[in-house]
Amino acid sequence: MNEHKFCFIICANKERFLEECLWYIDQLPVPEGYECECRVIRDAKSMTSGYNRVMVESDAKYKIYLHQDVFILNRSLLQDLLDIFQDPVIGMVGAVGTCDFSAGADYTLIWDIGGAEVSAGTNSHYLIGEDKGEGTERLADVVCIDGVLMATQYDLPWEEEAFDGWDFYDISQSVNFKQAGFRVVVPWIRTKEEIWVYHDKGRSVYDAWERYRRVFCNKYRALGYEYRDQGRLQRNEDLSDQRRDILKVFQAGDLEKTNELLNCLGEDQLDLRLCYVALFISIRQEEIATMGEASYSKEAELDDFIEVFDEVKHMCRRMYFSEVPAVKEDAWQIIREMLYQGKITMKMVWAVVYVCVGEPNRLWGDVIGKYEEEIRSLIRQGDILKAEQLLLQLDKDKRGKTGNVLLILIGIFRKELEKNVSSTVFDVSLDANELVEHFIRVKLYLRRLEFGLPEQTWLEFYEYGRQTGVSDYMILYLLQNNIFYKEECCRNLSGLFAKMEGADSLRARLYHGLAEK
């Protein structure tokens, strides 16, 4: 036995989730004098069989049994485990658990100690135990822990024969450790900042869970457990039938009917695949409403959609959870590349943000900051129409002030190009801030004319317009959208251009005609 070694043990069947799980493990500092390894079982027939195999093979004293869809947030996890295991009576540590005995073993439904951030398919939330203990307490002794993370310093065989699937192995092992005389503990979690793990579990279907609950209660009857049929199996069968029917409607291409059936079923009753179907339809509708077309619009594209959605989700979480600027930037660059390849739109990114973390507004702030910098970069490079394409992928309320003004200016730019105006709005500057300032300045000058301020201020506008090449298309846009007293403003504009360019000048006559209308 190597007393200075950690071993992460993971049963896996989703390579991309496993890759992400391992990425978070790679970020963990390893205490000085210790080593860490990861063992992955890809062909396990059950969780217990996979865990038993590696438990025997690995010589590490400290074994951390982890789900493939769990991402470790506590960067001091390994040192924390060493500190906890200084007590030789502590046999196993979990991230989530419960202190209260339940004769029906409904533990998965009543976790109340510890904490995790959890993705439930169409949303994310914080799971923090209601009982937070006394302020000085560090650990809670629990009846059992959840299998998302189970760390041990002793090896006890997993109940491979009885629990030959993927449920109740964690409850069983908790009981076995306690019967062997060891403490099973969970750290008190009092705030979301103390949470150890993120669990991207999606939606659980409790068919097998209910069968193994019966197995567990019968196996540990002597400890006071008793199985009572609560009608879950029948309800689950009915729900499974409804889910299959909805998928058939979706696969037949009737997205409107699918959406109707999803709403009738209710969000809490969706399984993971139907969660993706709901997101597929929602994003598709948003993209069509905003841009006139969707990235993924046919039911046959669902698997491609899921793969891309998950990738964006992983990168968004790296931006959210990492404190390393280079990590955030690398994650954004992957999202950026997918945007330019047309695999995703900012509509999808926005949807991902609001389902993948518990505090989406903070993450969206980071994402929109990167998005705005991308727009600024395109403007600086003179790639105006590419910037327009990105800007149009978000609604007005999500683009922000700068984005909305830039989109207006691009619209004016298109008019200027169409009419062969010699000086366009982007000749003023290719700096986004300067362009916004230019737009606002012209608007304020027009308001001076609107309210008939002293003529000297009109002359300032004329001189500014002459220097910067303000076109009539910008003035006309502002007249239409930002000026209330349009007749008065046009009359004063006509007077200004008559004085400076002559009464018969094109601009003097243009604004005189508009004033008459």
Side-chain angles (χ1 to χ4, degrees):
M1 180 69 69
N2 187 340
E3 297 194 354
H4 291 81
K5 186 175 182 179
F6 296 92
C7 179
F8 284 91
I9 303 172
I10 307 163
C11 291
N13 63 355
K14 293 182 178 180
E15 286 299 318
R16 185 59 189 90
F17 275 82
L18 170 64
E19 179 185 333
E20 199 67 10
C21 175
L22 295 175
W23 184 88
Y24 282 84
I25 292 173
D26 286 343
Q27 312 309 304
L28 299 178
V30 179
E32 187 175 353
Y34 286 79
E35 60 180 299
C36 183
E37 68 173 355
C38 294
R39 296 287 191 93
V40 178
I41 312 102
R42 291 180 171 83
D43 59 349
K45 296 179 180 179
S46 66
M47 198 71 87
T48 51
S49 66
Y51 284 174
N52 271 334
R53 186 197 313 174
V54 177
M55 183 186 72
V56 173
E57 293 174 353
S58 174
D59 64 345
K61 177 180 180 180
Y62 305 107
K63 296 180 175 69
I64 304 163
Y65 301 90
L66 194 68
H67 284 189
Q68 65 181 350
D69 53 10
V70 169
F71 314 130
I72 295 173
L73 305 182
N74 176 17
R75 284 183 50 78
S76 62
L77 174 72
L78 300 182
Q79 185 60 56
D80 287 346
L81 290 176
L82 284 181
D83 294 342
I84 291 170
F85 285 136
Q86 289 300 305
D87 183 346
V89 181
I90 295 177
M92 187 159 63
V93 182
V96 179
T98 183
C99 291
D100 298 325
F101 176 83
S102 169
D106 291 328
Y107 295 119
T108 304
L109 308 177
I110 57 172
W111 301 124
D112 58 4
I113 302 296
E117 191 168 347
V118 180
S119 169
T122 55
N123 63 73
S124 279
H125 61 276
Y126 296 107
L127 175 65
I128 299 178
E130 295 180 4
D131 184 355
K132 299 181 176 61
E134 299 297 330
T136 58
E137 293 182 10
R138 183 184 177 199
L139 300 172
D141 285 275
V142 295
V143 173
C144 58
I145 60 177
D146 184 82
V148 290
L149 182 149
M150 306 176 75
T152 67
Q153 67 169 329
Y154 305 110
D155 293 337
L156 291 183
W158 297 76
E159 295 286 352
E160 189 171 340
E161 184 174 342
F163 301 98
D164 54 359
W166 310 97
D167 296 279
F168 267 89
Y169 64 91
D170 45 0
I171 316 298
S172 167
Q173 192 71 340
S174 299
V175 171
N176 289 347
F177 263 84
K178 292 176 72 68
Q179 285 189 311
F182 296 114
R183 292 174 63 194
V184 177
V185 301
V186 168
W188 289 107
I189 299 297
R190 297 175 174 87
T191 68
K192 60 183 180 294
E193 288 74 22
E194 298 173 319
I195 284 173
W196 279 18
V197 297
Y198 186 101
H199 186 197
D200 192 351
K201 75 183 189 68
R203 295 278 178 168
S204 298
V205 179
Y206 287 99
D207 298 6
W209 180 87
E210 182 65 15
R211 290 193 293 274
Y212 283 109
R213 185 172 76 87
R214 176 184 294 176
V215 172
F216 177 88
C217 289
N218 291 337
K219 180 175 178 61
Y220 296 100
R221 186 186 302 274
L223 299 179
Y225 289 102
E226 181 181 1
Y227 178 79
R228 291 184 179 179
D229 186 357
Q230 299 173 350
R232 282 200 190 96
L233 284 175
Q234 183 58 54
R235 288 198 300 274
N236 289 345
E237 288 179 9
D238 294 341
L239 282 171
S240 294
D241 289 341
Q242 292 181 59
R243 293 173 185 134
R244 281 193 294 270
D245 289 343
I246 294 174
L247 275 176
K248 288 178 182 177
V249 173
F250 174 74
Q251 290 161 357
D254 192 341
L255 302 188
E256 184 176 343
K257 181 65 174 177
T258 301
N259 201 36
E260 179 184 327
L261 292 173
L262 288 170
N263 291 331
C264 290
L265 184 62
E267 185 177 343
D268 291 341
Q269 304 301 335
L270 303 181
D271 61 12
L272 182 56
R273 192 161 184 83
L274 284 184
C275 285
Y276 282 117
V277 168
L279 290 165
F280 178 97
I281 293 174
S282 175
I283 293 171
R284 176 182 178 275
Q285 290 174 338
E286 288 285 330
E287 287 179 339
I288 290 174
T290 303
M291 301 176 294
E293 59 182 359
S295 305
Y296 301 88
S297 57
K298 298 178 181 178
E299 64 284 351
E301 298 174 319
L302 179 62
D303 288 335
D304 291 337
F305 169 86
I306 292 172
E307 181 180 345
V308 169
F309 189 93
D310 284 344
E311 185 63 25
V312 177
K313 188 166 58 173
H314 294 322
M315 292 305 106
C316 281
R317 289 197 190 116
R318 290 190 188 186
M319 290 181 65
Y320 179 76
F321 289 122
S322 179
E323 297 178 357
V324 181
V327 170
K328 292 176 178 287
E329 181 60 27
D330 288 346
W332 168 253
Q333 288 302 319
I334 291 173
I335 295 173
R336 174 184 178 275
E337 187 63 25
M338 296 170 78
L339 282 168
Y340 282 125
Q341 291 174 351
K343 291 182 178 181
I344 62 172
T345 64
M346 284 299 295
K347 273 292 183 184
M348 178 184 283
V349 177
W350 181 83
V352 169
V353 165
Y354 278 85
V355 305
C356 79
V357 294
E359 290 184 330
N361 289 333
R362 179 165 72 84
L363 174 57
W364 182 245
D366 291 342
V367 169
I368 205 69
K370 295 291 187 182
Y371 164 80
E372 288 178 351
E373 181 51 43
E374 194 62 34
I375 299 297
R376 293 171 189 273
S377 177
L378 289 169
I379 296 292
R380 285 195 298 270
Q381 296 166 21
D383 200 344
I384 310 301
L385 300 185
K386 185 65 176 180
E388 179 185 42
Q389 182 182 344
L390 277 184
L391 286 166
L392 287 171
Q393 291 182 10
L394 286 178
D395 297 332
K396 182 178 180 180
D397 61 334
K398 299 182 184 70
R399 282 193 295 264
K401 178 181 177 181
T402 298
N404 285 321
V405 172
L406 288 173
L407 196 56
I408 291 169
L409 292 174
I410 292 171
I412 294 169
F413 173 70
R414 281 184 171 277
K415 281 283 187 183
E416 292 169 336
L417 290 181
E418 181 185 332
K419 300 299 181 180
N420 293 316
V421 175
S422 59
S423 179
T424 71
V425 68
F426 287 99
D427 290 334
V428 175
S429 175
L430 291 177
D431 179 271
N433 289 339
E434 292 177 2
L435 285 164
V436 172
E437 183 181 340
H438 171 66
F439 179 82
I440 293 172
R441 189 168 182 178
V442 174
K443 179 170 64 174
L444 293 177
Y445 274 131
L446 286 178
R447 285 194 174 148
R448 293 181 182 183
L449 281 95
E450 176 185 12
F451 293 107
L453 295 183
E455 188 174 310
Q456 178 59 35
T457 65
W458 303 6
L459 298 177
E460 287 179 24
F461 167 58
Y462 182 81
E463 183 59 26
Y464 179 77
R466 187 183 65 79
Q467 291 175 358
T468 59
V470 174
S471 74
D472 290 299
Y473 294 101
M474 175 179 275
I475 296 173
L476 290 170
Y477 175 87
L478 288 166
L479 278 171
Q480 184 176 356
N481 295 280
N482 295 89
I483 301 301
F484 184 76
Y485 298 107
K486 294 178 175 55
E487 181 180 340
E488 184 68 22
C489 188
C490 287
R491 185 174 296 111
N492 290 336
L493 278 168
S494 178
L496 171 63
F497 288 118
K499 178 175 182 178
M500 303 305 297
E501 299 175 359
D504 290 332
S505 68
L506 183 62
R507 293 176 119 182
R509 288 187 285 110
L510 168 66
Y511 293 107
H512 176 76
L514 290 174
E516 293 300 310
K517 290 181 180 180

mmCIF file of all heavy atoms in Angstrom, residues 239 242 246 257-270:
data_model
loop_
_atom_site.group_PDB
_atom_site.id
_atom_site.type_symbol
_atom_site.label_atom_id
_atom_site.label_comp_id
_atom_site.label_asym_id
_atom_site.label_seq_id
_atom_site.Cartn_x
_atom_site.Cartn_y
_atom_site.Cartn_z
ATOM 1 N N LEU A 239 -44.800 7.352 -17.388
ATOM 2 C CA LEU A 239 -44.005 8.480 -17.869
ATOM 3 C C LEU A 239 -43.116 8.061 -19.031
ATOM 4 O O LEU A 239 -42.941 8.810 -19.998
ATOM 5 C CB LEU A 239 -43.141 9.039 -16.734
ATOM 6 C CG LEU A 239 -43.856 9.920 -15.713
ATOM 7 C CD1 LEU A 239 -42.942 10.221 -14.528
ATOM 8 C CD2 LEU A 239 -44.325 11.222 -16.357
ATOM 9 N N GLN A 242 -45.098 8.088 -22.152
ATOM 10 C CA GLN A 242 -45.320 9.454 -22.630
ATOM 11 C C GLN A 242 -44.062 10.010 -23.294
ATOM 12 O O GLN A 242 -44.143 10.665 -24.341
ATOM 13 C CB GLN A 242 -45.735 10.359 -21.467
ATOM 14 C CG GLN A 242 -47.100 10.046 -20.879
ATOM 15 C CD GLN A 242 -47.455 11.001 -19.752
ATOM 16 O OE1 GLN A 242 -47.508 12.216 -19.939
ATOM 17 N NE2 GLN A 242 -47.685 10.458 -18.568
ATOM 18 N N ILE A 246 -43.571 11.290 -27.207
ATOM 19 C CA ILE A 246 -43.098 12.635 -27.580
ATOM 20 C C ILE A 246 -41.924 12.533 -28.538
ATOM 21 O O ILE A 246 -41.838 13.268 -29.531
ATOM 22 C CB ILE A 246 -42.721 13.434 -26.319
ATOM 23 C CG1 ILE A 246 -43.963 13.714 -25.464
ATOM 24 C CG2 ILE A 246 -42.058 14.758 -26.712
ATOM 25 C CD1 ILE A 246 -43.672 14.370 -24.137
ATOM 26 N N LYS A 257 -46.088 20.337 -32.435
ATOM 27 C CA LYS A 257 -46.787 19.375 -31.577
ATOM 28 C C LYS A 257 -45.858 18.874 -30.475
ATOM 29 O O LYS A 257 -46.287 18.693 -29.320
ATOM 30 C CB LYS A 257 -47.284 18.203 -32.425
ATOM 31 C CG LYS A 257 -48.062 17.142 -31.646
ATOM 32 C CD LYS A 257 -49.368 17.697 -31.088
ATOM 33 C CE LYS A 257 -50.202 16.609 -30.442
ATOM 34 N NZ LYS A 257 -51.445 17.122 -29.839
ATOM 35 N N THR A 258 -44.595 18.653 -30.810
ATOM 36 C CA THR A 258 -43.629 18.214 -29.808
ATOM 37 C C THR A 258 -43.543 19.218 -28.673
ATOM 38 O O THR A 258 -43.566 18.852 -27.492
ATOM 39 C CB THR A 258 -42.226 18.047 -30.439
ATOM 40 O OG1 THR A 258 -42.288 17.097 -31.493
ATOM 41 C CG2 THR A 258 -41.226 17.576 -29.394
ATOM 42 N N ASN A 259 -43.455 20.486 -29.021
ATOM 43 C CA ASN A 259 -43.356 21.534 -28.003
ATOM 44 C C ASN A 259 -44.596 21.552 -27.121
ATOM 45 O O ASN A 259 -44.520 21.721 -25.895
ATOM 46 C CB ASN A 259 -43.163 22.891 -28.679
ATOM 47 C CG ASN A 259 -42.556 23.909 -27.749
ATOM 48 O OD1 ASN A 259 -41.708 23.575 -26.912
ATOM 49 N ND2 ASN A 259 -42.980 25.151 -27.857
ATOM 50 N N GLU A 260 -45.738 21.365 -27.740
ATOM 51 C CA GLU A 260 -47.000 21.329 -26.989
ATOM 52 C C GLU A 260 -47.011 20.169 -25.996
ATOM 53 O O GLU A 260 -47.410 20.326 -24.837
ATOM 54 C CB GLU A 260 -48.161 21.200 -27.980
ATOM 55 C CG GLU A 260 -49.534 21.137 -27.339
ATOM 56 C CD GLU A 260 -50.628 20.914 -28.372
ATOM 57 O OE1 GLU A 260 -50.484 21.395 -29.516
ATOM 58 O OE2 GLU A 260 -51.621 20.225 -28.038
ATOM 59 N N LEU A 261 -46.557 18.993 -26.443
ATOM 60 C CA LEU A 261 -46.534 17.816 -25.569
ATOM 61 C C LEU A 261 -45.501 17.970 -24.449
ATOM 62 O O LEU A 261 -45.735 17.524 -23.316
ATOM 63 C CB LEU A 261 -46.227 16.565 -26.391
ATOM 64 C CG LEU A 261 -47.306 16.135 -27.386
ATOM 65 C CD1 LEU A 261 -46.800 14.992 -28.266
ATOM 66 C CD2 LEU A 261 -48.583 15.710 -26.647
ATOM 67 N N LEU A 262 -44.366 18.587 -24.749
ATOM 68 C CA LEU A 262 -43.357 18.833 -23.725
ATOM 69 C C LEU A 262 -43.910 19.728 -22.623
ATOM 70 O O LEU A 262 -43.689 19.480 -21.433
ATOM 71 C CB LEU A 262 -42.119 19.487 -24.339
ATOM 72 C CG LEU A 262 -41.235 18.611 -25.223
ATOM 73 C CD1 LEU A 262 -40.197 19.457 -25.937
ATOM 74 C CD2 LEU A 262 -40.555 17.519 -24.411
ATOM 75 N N ASN A 263 -44.639 20.752 -23.015
ATOM 76 C CA ASN A 263 -45.234 21.659 -22.029
ATOM 77 C C ASN A 263 -46.273 20.954 -21.179
ATOM 78 O O ASN A 263 -46.393 21.213 -19.975
ATOM 79 C CB ASN A 263 -45.845 22.875 -22.730
ATOM 80 C CG ASN A 263 -44.796 23.788 -23.329
ATOM 81 O OD1 ASN A 263 -43.680 23.862 -22.831
ATOM 82 N ND2 ASN A 263 -45.146 24.482 -24.405
ATOM 83 N N CYS A 264 -47.033 20.052 -21.804
ATOM 84 C CA CYS A 264 -48.042 19.303 -21.054
ATOM 85 C C CYS A 264 -47.389 18.339 -20.055
ATOM 86 O O CYS A 264 -47.875 18.165 -18.942
ATOM 87 C CB CYS A 264 -48.940 18.524 -22.009
ATOM 88 S SG CYS A 264 -50.051 19.559 -22.987
ATOM 89 N N LEU A 265 -46.287 17.704 -20.475
ATOM 90 C CA LEU A 265 -45.593 16.767 -19.590
ATOM 91 C C LEU A 265 -44.994 17.491 -18.400
ATOM 92 O O LEU A 265 -45.033 16.996 -17.270
ATOM 93 C CB LEU A 265 -44.505 16.025 -20.363
ATOM 94 C CG LEU A 265 -43.737 14.939 -19.607
ATOM 95 C CD1 LEU A 265 -44.675 13.823 -19.160
ATOM 96 C CD2 LEU A 265 -42.617 14.372 -20.466
ATOM 97 N N GLY A 266 -44.448 18.663 -18.632
ATOM 98 C CA GLY A 266 -43.843 19.436 -17.554
ATOM 99 C C GLY A 266 -42.345 19.227 -17.471
ATOM 100 O O GLY A 266 -41.848 18.121 -17.665
ATOM 101 N N GLU A 267 -41.613 20.297 -17.165
ATOM 102 C CA GLU A 267 -40.149 20.254 -17.154
ATOM 103 C C GLU A 267 -39.601 19.218 -16.192
ATOM 104 O O GLU A 267 -38.615 18.541 -16.487
ATOM 105 C CB GLU A 267 -39.607 21.645 -16.784
ATOM 106 C CG GLU A 267 -38.106 21.756 -16.862
ATOM 107 C CD GLU A 267 -37.614 23.158 -16.564
ATOM 108 O OE1 GLU A 267 -38.430 24.102 -16.615
ATOM 109 O OE2 GLU A 267 -36.422 23.312 -16.258
ATOM 110 N N ASP A 268 -40.234 19.056 -15.037
ATOM 111 C CA ASP A 268 -39.721 18.124 -14.029
ATOM 112 C C ASP A 268 -39.813 16.663 -14.450
ATOM 113 O O ASP A 268 -39.151 15.808 -13.854
ATOM 114 C CB ASP A 268 -40.470 18.310 -12.708
ATOM 115 C CG ASP A 268 -40.138 19.633 -12.035
ATOM 116 O OD1 ASP A 268 -39.093 20.219 -12.383
ATOM 117 O OD2 ASP A 268 -40.919 20.091 -11.182
ATOM 118 N N GLN A 269 -40.620 16.371 -15.447
ATOM 119 C CA GLN A 269 -40.815 14.977 -15.873
ATOM 120 C C GLN A 269 -40.016 14.621 -17.129
ATOM 121 O O GLN A 269 -40.122 13.496 -17.625
ATOM 122 C CB GLN A 269 -42.312 14.714 -16.134
ATOM 123 C CG GLN A 269 -43.221 15.015 -14.951
ATOM 124 C CD GLN A 269 -42.857 14.197 -13.722
ATOM 125 O OE1 GLN A 269 -42.269 13.124 -13.821
ATOM 126 N NE2 GLN A 269 -43.214 14.710 -12.548
ATOM 127 N N LEU A 270 -39.233 15.550 -17.618
ATOM 128 C CA LEU A 270 -38.434 15.264 -18.813
ATOM 129 C C LEU A 270 -37.249 14.375 -18.458
ATOM 130 O O LEU A 270 -36.654 14.521 -17.395
ATOM 131 C CB LEU A 270 -37.912 16.564 -19.429
ATOM 132 C CG LEU A 270 -38.928 17.637 -19.825
ATOM 133 C CD1 LEU A 270 -38.214 18.828 -20.436
ATOM 134 C CD2 LEU A 270 -39.955 17.081 -20.793
#
